[in-house]
Amino acid sequence: MTVFIASIFLPKTVHFNLPGARPRGASASQKPASKPKKWKPSPDTPPSLFQPTHDHITPPHTPTEDRKHHDHWTNEDGLKVQIPQMPFSPDGGYRAPIDRSSPKWGGRLDQPMSRANSPPPPSLIDSSRALNQKAREMGRQGITQPQSLVRSESHDRVFAHADWKIVSADQGNGGLRNAAVAAARDGKLEEYTWIGTLGMPTDALQGTQQLQDIEDRLATEHDMLTVFCSDKDFDGHYSHFCKQILWPVFHYQIPDNPKSKAYEDHSWKYYVNVNQAFADKIVKNWKKGDTVWIHDYHLLLVPGMIRKKIPEAKIGFFLHVAFPSSEVFRCLAVRKQLLEGMLGANLIGFQIREYARHFLQTCSRILSVEATPDGLQLEDRFVDVIHLPIGIDPVSLSRHREESGVKHWLDIMRERYAGKKLIVARDKLDHVRGVRQKLLSYEMFLNMNPEWRDKVVLIQVALSTSEKSELDATVSDIVTRVNSTWANLAYQPVVYLKQDIDYAQYLALVSIADALMITSQREGMNLTSHEYLFCQDGKFSEKKHGSLILSEFTGTSSLFSGNELSVNPWDYRACADAIKKALEMDGEEKERRWKKLYEAVNVHTGSHWFSEFMLRLDKVYEEQHSRDQTAVPRLSMSTLLQQYQRTERRLFILDFEGTLVSWGPVNQIIPVSPQRTLDVLNDLLLDERNTIYVMSGRRPEELDRIFRRVPNLGLIAESGCYLKDCGSNTWTEMADSNKIRSWKSSLQDIMTYYLERTPGAAIEERRCSLVFHYKSADDYQTAATQASDLASHINDACEEQRVHAIPMDGCVLVEPIDWTKSTAAQRIFADLQKRMGPDEKHKSPVDFLMVIGDGRDDEKVFKWANQMAMEGTVQEVVTVSLGNRNTEAKATMTQGVSGVLAALQKLSQVVVPAEHQRRRSSISVLPSSNM
């Protein structure tokens, strides 16, 4: 079946051949005959506060001359490096650095301009005071506010009738594209279809045959389904909500300028509209058996939107950027909507464990859902959460390294930087990438190590961003200061390129470098480091096994097990020391580190990432579907009776509250003795071949009082922390009392803090657990928020103490992880194995195992029992759930407590041979340790 890969941009886009325009990819040396005329304002042009723009000219102006490039390596005052427009290989691979810069949306000359009226970018806010002052001055001179320039209709007509062609796009996620191509090449991916936008404004083409032809050709020739949305929607979605709100928050850069809230309110509806357009396109084309894989923060709402329309769909979601802590994410006004949208997926993937843990904690805190190490338990289903780092495609990279252009640039750089150590860096020029910190660290290194001056060069490639900022000027000032301090006629300590370089130059650069320096303040997965390490094998350069200086705040850092030189970008001295260590490291240590790093890169490839995610999605989908309450059959009484009659060593493990009695939570006072339940248990125990244990979250003394008239009954108290064997008068403490006292002591202050802030709440202390009750709180909504914060706080702070907090209806249960109902059940089975070993007639101490429960804590017992059946340890296993949620049990019962008692009563009525009858008064005492 088809795999739909949904990403904000398609791997292909459209370019139009306009009259007089230079073809895409034409050489810079092909100059038109005439020079462009310098634009001058006409006398009638109204004065403007902003720089004049040419965007209104129709048709779009054509570049007529490119400046000559005298030197391929110049600083920020020199000329740009020409970038060939060939981002894709003939085989479909991404022929460019994976994170190359993308042109501004709607800013190409060979694509339509946007009709969206965008609010001013945040960078204008900084200078608003000066602009307002200038406006007032112009007003005093009698000059009215200028009107915005509008596009002429002829602009649309030009594109509506121009020739066009499908070309490889230079926007979007290059790592994802490479991974898909590699997986298909390796036979791990068969039929797949991309879903995304064209990466250009399309309002100018609405209602034209051009648009339909473009959509048809992409679908039929390239297996790509195009999502069309208005320019206004896409601009508000991508340029504003994604780039001004989500991107900063996910990278711990909380927007705090005066208009950030206005941006969020303004653009949220556009974000919803674009996500809905993606969901509608997928729903329209989905067929039963298809897989939907949605990518990145641009499309967080799509999984939930699809789930509403297609409840049975197989949906995966992967976030390629970092996921922040709950303290940061909760700053978003639409936090709940974003999380609920993501939870529409069956499987959610993150780059590293830290991001997955942040997501689980955030959902637990904001949505008050139960977080487990494997995922999130929702009301009606389970969502699996994994971490799986993306990688590069070594096969494609090896092929590109053999190209003649790479060898040509290697020769140029060998000659240019003979006798010099090269530190290379390639980053987008934004506040997240840490370019400023890197340059300041390098400056400190030169200050602290004068012997290295004139011997080392830092080549910093700064990828342009869509808007200018103070960072641009700051970085340029640092570069100028460093170069003016230590440069001479033959030496320039920093080579600073404010534009991207072509692929051949890039591969040559990372092949000949002595060190790569990455100082990102926060980043998902930096694949530049992977490409650098792969190119340091020495096959094409005499330099090899270069060092990697890597920020500890990148996701990549968690893969390399300390074999990189890990740095804190804000610690300039430590970064300077790392540079020194990288340059002075002996060859043996460099090779040892590089081999381990190289091995990690070859294990975590793009193809492996893609295929592994798809395999896990298939697995969790089948597991979730099998646990769906509607897919689990009802308990067959006739089958149960047959299983019961053909076995002789029977073990029953029965939940108490909600299963044997219809009482409420364990904090409620026990009303009266459940006489019918006691009678049914006594009847079952008349057959000595039956062993019965009742499990509960109540204290041992409570269970003793309830079941004092049922001899030979085993009990499990406090959810597995205490065990009382059949016929015994004493309890065995399963938990480590010292550990229990330790974590209780550490949690006392935390729970008291929230108790004081929640009037009407109470803390119940049991022997092995604590319960924060807030159902009777004065303000229930506020109390629920406090309870969510408490659960999150405990799960964050006490993970190493092996305890976890579980949000429940009206309370938060804090209990140990290592002692559960499941561990108690395993202990019971082990004891039975010791007492009742295999003989001629019985291969196992138990040949019939029945587990009945209704709560979340019973699921682990179901899972254990089912595993016993799969392994063949127990001949007949029956697991029954009374709840209406998804379950591990293999059968359900809709009649509740009365149905359970009726079923057990029927089993007790099966005729018992005389030799197996047990008298009601007889008690068989089993050896047990005291409490």
Side-chain angles (χ1 to χ4, degrees), residues 329-600:
F329 190 87
R330 68 189 301 208
C331 295
L332 289 169
V334 290
R335 57 197 183 183
K336 291 188 67 175
Q337 295 92 317
L338 295 174
L339 293 176
E340 289 168 351
M342 295 175 69
L343 292 177
N346 298 100
L347 178 65
I348 301 176
F350 297 89
Q351 299 282 14
I352 62 174
R353 184 185 300 275
E354 177 188 350
Y355 304 155
R357 187 176 70 250
H358 285 171
F359 176 73
L360 293 173
Q361 293 168 349
T362 301
C363 289
S364 175
R365 183 173 189 178
I366 295 176
L367 301 180
S368 297
V369 296
E370 180 185 350
T372 72
D374 297 325
L376 293 159
Q377 181 60 60
L378 307 183
E379 280 297 322
D380 57 343
R381 61 192 186 89
F382 189 84
V383 178
D384 286 80
V385 177
I386 63 170
H387 62 280
L388 188 65
I390 195 173
I392 61 173
D393 180 12
V395 176
S396 175
L397 189 57
S398 296
R399 185 171 61 253
H400 291 312
R401 290 174 65 198
E402 298 175 357
E403 295 176 359
S404 58
V406 179
K407 298 175 182 178
H408 168 71
W409 277 103
L410 279 170
D411 293 338
I412 291 177
M413 284 187 281
R414 283 194 192 97
E415 180 182 354
R416 179 67 181 270
Y417 298 109
K420 300 286 192 301
K421 293 282 189 178
L422 289 184
I423 302 172
V424 301
R426 181 177 173 278
D427 310 273
K428 290 182 180 179
L429 192 58
D430 58 33
H431 291 280
V432 174
R433 306 296 179 174
V435 177
R436 173 178 169 272
Q437 286 79 2
K438 182 188 306 172
L439 291 171
L440 290 174
S441 300
Y442 181 67
E443 183 181 27
M444 178 176 284
F445 164 75
L446 293 177
N447 276 322
M448 294 168 55
N449 302 277
E451 70 276 10
W452 276 104
R453 299 170 193 166
D454 199 39
K455 297 179 182 178
V456 61
V457 176
L458 170 64
I459 300 177
Q460 174 67 63
V461 179
L463 282 61
S464 60
T465 54
S466 58
E467 65 174 69
K468 301 297 180 182
S469 64
E470 292 182 1
L471 180 63
D472 192 348
T474 301
V475 168
S476 295
D477 289 344
I478 299 172
V479 171
T480 301
R481 184 172 68 239
V482 173
N483 282 340
S484 62
T485 303
W486 290 297
N488 55 47
L489 291 176
Y491 172 65
Q492 183 177 324
V494 180
V495 175
Y496 180 46
L497 299 172
K498 282 174 56 177
Q499 65 278 319
D500 206 355
I501 56 179
D502 67 21
Y503 199 35
Q505 293 181 51
Y506 169 75
L507 292 179
L509 187 62
V510 295
S511 297
I512 203 172
D514 295 279
L516 175 72
M517 190 168 185
I518 298 168
T519 53
S520 301
Q521 297 176 14
R522 191 69 60 170
E523 190 172 3
M525 191 61 58
N526 187 292
L527 295 184
T528 300
S529 61
H530 292 228
E531 293 173 326
Y532 163 76
L533 292 168
F534 189 83
C535 292
Q536 284 290 311
D537 54 5
K539 289 183 179 180
F540 299 96
S541 173
E542 63 282 355
K543 291 185 178 181
K544 59 182 180 178
H545 307 154
S547 299
L548 174 62
I549 304 172
L550 184 64
S551 167
E552 64 185 67
F553 299 107
T554 63
T556 314
S557 180
S558 66
L559 300 181
F560 291 156
S561 305
N563 293 296
E564 81 286 8
L565 298 178
S566 182
V567 295
N568 178 352
W570 285 276
D571 189 346
Y572 301 149
R573 184 174 295 276
C575 291
D577 292 341
I579 294 174
K580 180 178 174 65
K581 184 175 181 178
L583 297 178
E584 296 179 354
M585 189 181 298
D586 63 80
E588 183 178 344
E589 182 180 358
K590 286 169 63 176
E591 183 177 4
R592 176 180 59 80
R593 287 175 177 266
W594 175 82
K595 282 183 176 180
K596 293 181 178 179
L597 294 169
Y598 182 78
E599 181 181 356

Side-chain angles (χ1 to χ4, degrees), residues 224-261:
M224 296 181 185
L225 300 179
T226 310
V227 177
F228 293 107
C229 46
S230 69
D231 294 355
K232 186 176 183 180
D233 281 346
F234 191 87
D235 187 60
H237 164 278
Y238 184 74
S239 303
H240 301 141
F241 196 82
C242 288
K243 294 303 181 182
Q244 306 298 337
I245 304 298
L246 289 184
W247 172 266
V249 169
F250 280 162
H251 292 82
Y252 290 78
Q253 306 283 327
I254 300 176
D256 59 356
N257 63 62
K259 291 192 177 180
S260 61
K261 177 60 179 171

